[in-house]
């Protein structure tokens, strides 16, 4: 397929990095279109683990063009560290390009992310504190600093002085924090701009030209549908559009370019940060899933909340993204857990059954998950490479998931490595 989108279908960390890395073996271009270094995408190849935050997960292929689209926000300091990490592992970044329209995460965004979370107290969102929300706020306020500005020292200086003065006022007078020395920030970030200048190119044009030349393009989603600013569990969401619709606006291409949309989910559910999670398990099984699945954040190291597969949220993702297929990862983690439950609906305290994920969190107050119970499995499936090799219980689990979410499961993950995947048509 020439152009495919790979998108998160739950609350993030579904294994998008692994799926992109696998599909990238047949792609010539991989594009990121939203989010920033709040994302943490893991790729495991030959026992070596790569943790990527902003660099597209196609980077391990030396000839693949890796593009960072206009909708992404970049923390230049952290990004340069990520490039250094890749260079240290002998991974070339020569085919990496950043759109000049990407917004720059400045140090005041990071500080303000922490200060506003602190101000919210118990009502905090549980952000990654990477400055993502404040950077997108400035973008929409129309006072952001873009990559184009960063690599033009005079323009950068002017913009950093004017926006920096306002940020210092907010930091000191609203939060009682310490002001930034703007000259020191300008000197430090001008240096980052110099190091990044050669990467800057128009990603909208590059993607368009690649498509015209018949190249295979993969659009790599970050975060996930339930973290979308409109279609997620607002306000416990991120500040961008991680849904398939966000890919076009975040790259600068038209929707007719997209041929296929793949969602990624785990065979259970996890979430980091706060917010509703109807099928959450605060018990021994939840702990087991966390420990067996290694459910600790790639970016922040925070323990992930865990629970049963929730067909309500994945069906929501099928609709919102127009999914053609679902990659179901980490089936191996469910080994030995006993009977498996799948959440098929929510029951409100008045007995009403919710089959579709509601628009407002208030609608979820006091809901109980309605579960279907399916037989579990004890066989080691990490070596299975075809659907037929899976135990009958696993096959039945996948088939029931497909019926419930109304979408075919096109890939099954049985381990973290590139090779530990079952592909189905
Ligand atoms: P992403 O943010 O969606 O790219 O996912 P993360 O990389 O944050 O988290 C997914 C974690 O699950 C990583 O540690 C992966 O190496 C791991 N992983 C992905 N697929 C599988 C799988 O099928 N089985 C197992 N056991 N681990 C997997
Ligand atoms: P990947 O791409 C999981 C969550 C944070 C928090 C909320 C808002 O690895 O799947 P933010 O810092 O974005 O303002 O935080 O969103 N969050 C993620 N959770 N995976 C991610 O990315 C996430 N990116 C943000 O934990 O709840
Ligand atoms: Mg992640």
């Amino acid at each position: 397929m020439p152009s495919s989108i790979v998108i998160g279908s739950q609350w993030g960390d579904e294994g998008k990095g692994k799926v992109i890395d696998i599909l990238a073996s047949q792609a010539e271009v991989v594009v990121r279109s939203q989010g920033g270094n709040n994302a943490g995408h893991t790729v495991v190849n030959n026992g070596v683990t790569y943790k990527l935050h902003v660099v597209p997960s196609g980077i391990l292929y030396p000839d693949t063009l890796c593009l960072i689209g206009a909708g992404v926000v970049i923390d230049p300091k952290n990004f340069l560290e990520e490039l250094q990490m890749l260079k240290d592992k002998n991974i070339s970044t020569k085919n990496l390009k950043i759109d000049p329209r990407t917004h720059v995460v400045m140090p005041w965004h990071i500080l303000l992310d922490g200060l506003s979370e602190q101000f919210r107290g118990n009502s905090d969102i549980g952000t990654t504190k990477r400055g993502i929300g404040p950077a997108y706020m400035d973008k929409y306020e129309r006072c952001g600093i873009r990559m184009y500005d960063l690599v033009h020292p005079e323009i950068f200086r002017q913009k950093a002085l004017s926006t920096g003065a306002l940020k210092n006022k907010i930091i000191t007078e609203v939060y009682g924090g310490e002001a930034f020395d703007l000259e020191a920030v300008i000197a430090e970030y001008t240096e980052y701009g110099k190091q990044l200048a050669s990467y800057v190119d128009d990603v909208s044009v590059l993607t368009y030209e690649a498509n015209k030349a018949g190249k295979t393009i993969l659009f790599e989603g970050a975060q996930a549908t339930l973290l979308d600013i409109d279609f997620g569990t607002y306000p416990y969401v991120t500040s961008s559009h991680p849904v398939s619709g966000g890919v076009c606006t975040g790259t600068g291409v038209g929707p007719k370019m997209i041929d296929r949309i793949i969602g990624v989910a785990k065979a259970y559910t996890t979430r980091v940060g706060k917010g509703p999670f109807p099928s959450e398990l605060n018990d021994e099984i939840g702990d087991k899933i966390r420990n067996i699945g290694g459910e600790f954040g790639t970016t922040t190291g925070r323990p992930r909340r865990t629970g049963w597969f929730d067909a309500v949220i994945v069906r929501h993702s099928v609709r919102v993204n127009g999914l053609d297929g679902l990659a179901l990862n980490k089936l191996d983690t469910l080994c030995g857990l006993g009977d498996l439950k799948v959440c098929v609906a929510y029951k409100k305290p008045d007995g009403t059954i919710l089959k579709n994920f509601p628009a407002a969190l208030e609608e979820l107050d006091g809901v109980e998950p309605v579960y279907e119970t399916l037989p579990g499995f004890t066989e080691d499936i990490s070596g299975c490479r075809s659907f037929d090799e899976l135990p009958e219980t696993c096959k039945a689990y996948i088939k029931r998931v497909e019926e419930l979410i109304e979408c075919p499961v096109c890939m099954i993950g049985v381990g973290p490595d590139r090779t530990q995947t079952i592909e189905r048509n």
Side-chain angles (χ1 to χ4, degrees):
M1 277 283 185
S3 295
S4 308
I5 294 176
V6 174
I7 220 92
S9 304
Q10 295 164 318
W11 277 290
D13 304 325
E14 300 92 345
K16 297 177 289 293
K18 186 187 81 165
V19 170
I20 289 283
D21 171 63
I22 292 165
L23 297 178
S25 66
Q26 291 147 32
E28 288 145 298
V29 186
V30 180
V31 193
R32 265 284 297 270
S33 46
Q34 45 69 230
N37 64 338
N38 47 348
H41 296 180
T42 315
V43 176
V44 184
N45 179 25
N46 274 331
V48 183
T49 300
Y50 302 86
K51 293 185 177 186
L52 300 164
H53 299 283
V54 175
V55 173
S57 300
I59 199 75
L60 303 197
Y61 298 95
D63 297 324
T64 302
L65 188 58
C66 286
L67 306 178
I68 299 174
V72 174
V73 293
I74 296 189
D75 172 343
K77 183 179 183 184
N78 191 273
F79 185 74
L80 284 163
E81 284 166 12
E82 190 171 341
L83 296 187
Q84 192 56 50
M85 176 276 290
L86 288 167
K87 284 175 194 159
D88 291 346
K89 293 188 174 180
N90 290 320
I91 305 292
S92 167
T93 57
K94 71 176 181 355
N95 289 326
L96 181 67
K97 295 291 170 200
I98 309 167
D99 196 279
R101 304 168 184 89
T102 51
H103 276 250
V104 177
V105 179
M106 294 297 293
W108 41 79
H109 294 136
I110 300 167
L111 180 67
L112 285 165
D113 199 353
L115 289 172
S116 58
E117 281 284 84
Q118 216 178 331
F119 180 77
R120 289 184 192 110
N122 265 343
S123 313
D124 64 329
I125 292 164
T127 75
T128 58
K129 298 206 174 86
R130 297 295 192 267
I132 306 297
Y136 278 112
M137 279 167 69
D138 280 3
K139 169 173 168 165
Y140 288 99
E141 174 76 0
R142 293 153 297 176
C143 66
I145 294 172
R146 305 201 294 176
M147 191 51 74
Y148 181 89
D149 308 327
L150 186 70
V151 300
H152 289 88
E154 267 318 304
I155 301 175
F156 174 65
R157 182 180 170 74
Q158 278 172 20
K159 294 201 174 179
L161 281 174
S162 73
T163 187
L166 176 63
K167 298 297 163 186
N168 270 345
K169 227 171 153 47
I170 297 170
I171 289 162
T172 53
E173 294 179 22
V174 175
Y175 292 106
E178 206 176 309
F180 282 96
D181 173 345
L182 296 184
E183 288 300 340
V185 170
I186 291 168
E188 181 184 350
Y189 280 68
T190 301
E191 188 50 42
Y192 299 146
K194 279 186 195 156
Q195 293 178 53
L196 291 175
S198 64
Y199 291 101
V200 178
D201 207 338
D202 193 317
V203 166
S204 169
V205 172
L206 291 171
T207 312
Y208 181 76
E209 295 297 340
N211 180 256
K212 238 179 20 180
K215 293 192 174 164
T216 304
I217 303 171
L218 270 179
F219 294 93
E220 175 174 0
Q223 288 78 51
T225 308
L226 275 294
L227 290 171
D228 182 89
I229 188 84
D230 283 322
F231 289 94
T233 43
Y234 190 88
Y236 299 100
V237 291
T238 192
S239 300
S240 66
H241 284 295
V243 293
S244 60
V247 164
C248 291
T249 53
T251 307
V253 297
K256 285 185 182 167
M257 189 184 283
I258 312 302
D259 300 294
R260 185 174 65 156
I261 307 170
I262 304 293
V264 188
K266 283 175 188 166
Y268 47 94
T269 313
T270 65
R271 161 161 221 174
V272 244
K274 287 196 170 178
F277 183 170
S279 66
E280 184 166 14
L281 289 166
N282 286 307
D283 61 9
E284 216 176 286
I285 297 181
D287 292 343
K288 261 191 180 170
I289 293 177
R290 185 175 309 104
N291 293 329
I292 301 169
E295 295 297 352
F296 298 88
T298 309
T299 297
T300 58
R302 289 179 290 179
R304 295 176 183 146
R305 297 157 66 192
T306 51
W308 294 119
F309 185 83
D310 184 343
V312 180
I313 68 164
V314 181
R315 198 167 55 238
H316 173 82
S317 289
V318 169
R319 185 183 75 253
V320 169
N321 294 297
L323 297 187
D324 294 305
L326 186 79
L328 192 71
N329 278 326
K330 300 194 113 168
L331 187 61
D332 52 303
T333 301
L334 296 180
C335 174
L337 288 185
D339 281 347
L340 303 175
K341 289 187 181 174
V342 174
C343 173
V344 297
Y346 307 143
K347 189 176 177 183
K348 291 178 68 156
D350 66 2
T352 316
I353 297 291
L354 290 180
K355 288 210 153 191
N356 290 314
F357 199 83
L361 300 193
E362 289 73 10
E363 293 293 315
L364 288 173
D365 278 349
V367 297
E368 291 286 335
V370 178
Y371 286 120
E372 240 179 64
T373 302
L374 299 163
F377 60 97
T378 51
E379 298 91 333
D380 176 3
I381 61 167
S382 62
C384 294
R385 294 294 176 268
S386 73
F387 189 71
D388 287 343
E389 286 173 58
L390 289 172
E392 290 304 319
T393 42
C394 289
K395 290 184 197 165
Y397 184 81
I398 290 160
K399 285 180 182 163
R400 187 63 189 134
V401 163
E402 287 179 317
E403 284 168 3
L404 289 166
I405 64 168
E406 299 169 10
C407 179
V409 170
C410 57
M411 277 173 103
I412 301 155
V414 293
D417 197 84
R418 251 184 204 177
T419 56
Q420 290 178 299
T421 304
I422 296 170
E423 291 198 44
R424 290 167 88 206
N425 286 331

